[in-house]
Amino acid sequence: NEYVETARQMVAEGLVLVENKEHALPLKEGSKVSLFGRIQTHYYKSGTGSGGMVNVSKVTGILEGLQESDRVTLNEDLLQVYRTWEESHPFNEGLGWGCEPWSQEEMPVTDELVEQAQKESDVAVVIIGRTAGEDKDSSDTPGAYRLTEIENDLLAKVHNHFDKMIVVLNVGNIIDMSFVDTYTPDAVLYAWQGGMVGGTGTADVLT
């Protein structure tokens, strides 16, 4: 338990808050939060290669970290939409060494879905994930260094419907940050890849 608490503290201290307009973070206690992005249910604890293949008893992602914090309430209806979509769009681990894609297929969202989420929430948190590593260097392409069309569309629609949007980057390296000027999120947090308790340390900072 001492190791777990130390790792949790290291995760929190290692995060980088790139943007935070009008104290958008930390989230106010009791806030109702809509989580967007399919990586909310598949946290990247590490990159590819030997380090990424380490087996652990449990990985606590950002979703679980927020649920365990008891400081905010999550939009369970939206979460169920993602879980249902993932039944027919499972996580792609790739075949063979270093063949996992840099990012996972993202769920397209409609204006109706985002508008409904806004009615039930105070703030939106959009999680964007990337992997890379041994035998799988990042590339200057959509889905790796750059955002995909679906990710851009997601940010655009959340920006249009929510008064407050926070972007969390579950990545192993920097990515193209031009989206900050385009969609003007209220906060941007580099959460990196924090290992098996990474979501707990990230939730500590978010709340």
Side-chain angles (χ1 to χ4, degrees), residues 8 25 33 52 61 72 79 83 91 96 105 116 121 139 141-143 145 148 151 169 177 187-188 197 203:
R8 175 178 181 173
L25 290 177
V33 180
V72 296
L79 173 59
R83 291 197 188 281
F91 189 89
E105 179 184 4
Q116 182 60 40
S121 311
S139 68
T141 55
Y145 178 71
T148 65
E151 288 171 332
L169 302 173
M177 298 295 288
V188 180
V197 296

Side-chain angles (χ1 to χ4, degrees), residues 95-110:
L95 296 173
W97 178 266
C99 291
E100 180 181 329
W102 286 291
S103 61
Q104 297 293 316
E105 179 184 4
E106 184 55 78
M107 184 185 82
V109 299
T110 62

